[in-house]
Every structure is written in C-alpha cells, then in structure tokens.
Amino acid sequence: CCLGRGTACAAMAQYMPYYLRVLRLSESAVKRKSKYVAPEFLSVSNRNSIMPPLPPKKATNLQVGTHVDFAKFFNIKEGDLVRVLYGKDAGKQGVIRKIDHKKNQVIVDGCNMTKSFWSPRWTPKTKDVPSITTVEAPIHIHNIAPLDPVVKKPTRIK
C-alpha cells in the first residue's frame, strides 16, 4: 500500500475509499469524454504537508522598537517657555536651552540643577584649580509642558 511506511499507510487507509471512487469517476469520464477532472486536493503526493513560511511584516512607525522623536511630535523647539510638571522642580518655569532628539530629553534653563566636578587641564600658564560647579541636568520631554505666552498656563502646540 504505502511502500513500507507503516504509520503513514494506516493514516492513508481511511481516505483510500474516497481516492478509489475518484479514480473510478475519472476513468468513466475518460470513457464518456466528459470534462470531469479529479480535484487537486484529492490527489496523493509524496510531498510533506508543511505550509510555506509567512512573509515578514512591514515595519511601521508605531511598531515596537522604533524611535519616536517626541520633540517633533509635541512641536517643542529651543527657546520655548515651558513649565516642569514632575520632579523636584515641579512648577518651575524656564526656557529650553537644548533638545536631545535621540534621548527625548531637554535642558531647561535654571531647572534640575545638579553639582558636577569640573577638572580643567592643568598648564603652567593657566593654573586652573578643579572645582565643583552646578549645571542643568536633562529632563524627559514628558515631564514638561509648553506655556501660553499670554496666560502663562500649560497648553498644547498644534
């Protein structure tokens, strides 16, 4: 039956009556010269019944792992007046000095001040001494809101 394939033979045995019926119908169709042809799904083949792999999905802007520039999305630019919404400086106002588009962070003038160690290159001419200075640390864009210049309240920019 199945040329020594044991389990495959048992699985195909249940479909054998249908296959034989299709063969008989196709033989009689040839004798009568009719247009009946056995459908492809009833034919027996040696190929595996494994589906071909699905094509890869096309990348979209909202797919996980893609970068979104929130400064562009929220229409925030350098020089805008903003209010800090969260953190130790919540409620303070300041002007955006710099925007880091890759990290979605901004540096606001006078907000989120941290102490930093400054070490100049020592030369006999300058004789600069290392010191501790205060600098603005970056704030994530989600933690600020642009202010309306007239009303001085947080607003959206469209």
Side-chain angles (χ1 to χ4, degrees), residues 95-149:
V95 177
I96 295 178
R97 286 185 25 195
K98 186 179 177 186
I99 299 175
D100 187 358
H101 293 277
K102 289 184 181 177
K103 294 182 180 179
N104 288 322
Q105 294 179 340
V106 295
I107 294 179
V108 181
D109 193 30
C111 295
N112 203 19
M113 302 295 283
T114 58
K115 293 190 176 188
S116 175
F117 182 74
W118 179 72
S119 178
R121 288 195 172 177
W122 188 84
T123 59
K125 293 179 183 177
T126 59
K127 297 182 183 177
D128 287 333
V129 179
S131 61
I132 296 175
T133 60
T134 56
V135 274
E136 292 101 355
I139 303 172
H140 199 272
I141 289 181
H142 286 149
N143 298 335
I144 62 168
L147 291 178
D148 188 343

Side-chain angles (χ1 to χ4, degrees), residues 3 6 25 45 57 59 65 89 100 103 110 116 139 143 149 153 157:
L3 303 174
L25 285 172
S45 69
K57 290 185 176 181
D89 293 330
D100 187 358
K103 294 182 180 179
S116 175
I139 303 172
N143 298 335
K153 290 189 176 180
I157 301 174

Side-chain angles (χ1 to χ4, degrees), residues 34-45:
S34 71
K35 296 179 181 178
Y36 177 78
V37 179
E40 279 188 32
F41 70 91
L42 292 176
S43 63
V44 177
S45 69

Side-chain angles (χ1 to χ4, degrees), residues 55-67:
K57 290 185 176 181
K58 294 181 180 177
T60 61
N61 285 346
L62 300 177
Q63 198 172 25
V64 175
T66 57
H67 180 265

